[in-house]
Amino acid sequence: MTAAPPPGLIAIQGARLVDPASGYDGPGALLIAEGLIARVSHGADLDNLPRDVRIVDARGALLCPGLIDLRVKTGEPGNEPKETLKSAARAAAAGGVTSIVVQPDTDPVVDDPAVVDFILRRARDIELVHVYPAGAATKGCQGKGMAEIGLMHEAGCVYVTDADSPIVDSRVMRRLLAYAGGLGVLVAHRPADPWLTRDAVATESEWSGRM
């Protein structure tokens, strides 16, 4: 008698396999056992599969590591009818995204370690994707005084940003970069000049000039 295969065996075959770690991009197949990759083939099919394995025909599909969305807007905390962390996670998982970083311009703004901790505690209840918080670079995302960057970093925020609001005060930006650099904290900034972009509808170019 042939031994039954372990439960949860899945073979994904016929895909375009993209592996950034090895630089491979071509036909490929995977054998998954209990949620872990057990075998990789750089051919369209796997040989010597167990008889009862579930086979997924992935012809025309892309097979790659989970994507990471570094800039996700949610309503939670404060405006849950707009978007919750869970609904954002569902949308991410449906699109092949396995990790999301939520922006800090919520209500309340994520400019305090207590709000970072709230998001991380809520994220622990969401098993679909990994959810990480970004902290505000300045208090209230107002571009004036620095937020509690060090404490938020210790609490678990992955970088600091004022989301859609550019920091236009160069002195604030200089102090922010110096302080964050000393702590090893990444700063993400929207590169926009509000005086140049006010009432604008297109990027300045020869084409927009002709139009």
Side-chain angles (χ1 to χ4, degrees), residues 12-37:
I12 303 175
Q13 303 195 122
R16 174 188 169 189
L17 178 63
V18 176
D19 180 10
S22 66
Y24 180 77
D25 183 349
L30 291 181
L31 179 65
I32 301 172
E34 298 293 345
L36 299 175
I37 297 174

Side-chain angles (χ1 to χ4, degrees), residues 16 35 39 97 110 122-123 129 151 155 166 180 205:
R16 174 188 169 189
R39 202 194 324 165
V97 175
V110 186
R122 292 281 291 116
V129 301
L151 295 177
S205 65

Side-chain angles (χ1 to χ4, degrees), residues 25-61:
D25 183 349
L30 291 181
L31 179 65
I32 301 172
E34 298 293 345
L36 299 175
I37 297 174
R39 202 194 324 165
V40 180
S41 169
H42 286 176
D45 299 310
L46 291 161
D47 298 324
N48 303 318
L49 288 173
R51 185 175 56 187
D52 296 332
V53 66
R54 177 188 166 203
I55 296 177
V56 177
D57 185 352
R59 282 176 292 184

Side-chain angles (χ1 to χ4, degrees), residues 7 13 23 32 40 48 56 62 66 76 81 103 111 121 134 149 155 181 189 204:
Q13 303 195 122
I32 301 172
V40 180
N48 303 318
V56 177
L62 180 68
E76 189 177 6
Q103 296 300 284
D111 59 1
R121 282 188 285 108
I149 295 173
H189 179 245
E204 185 175 348

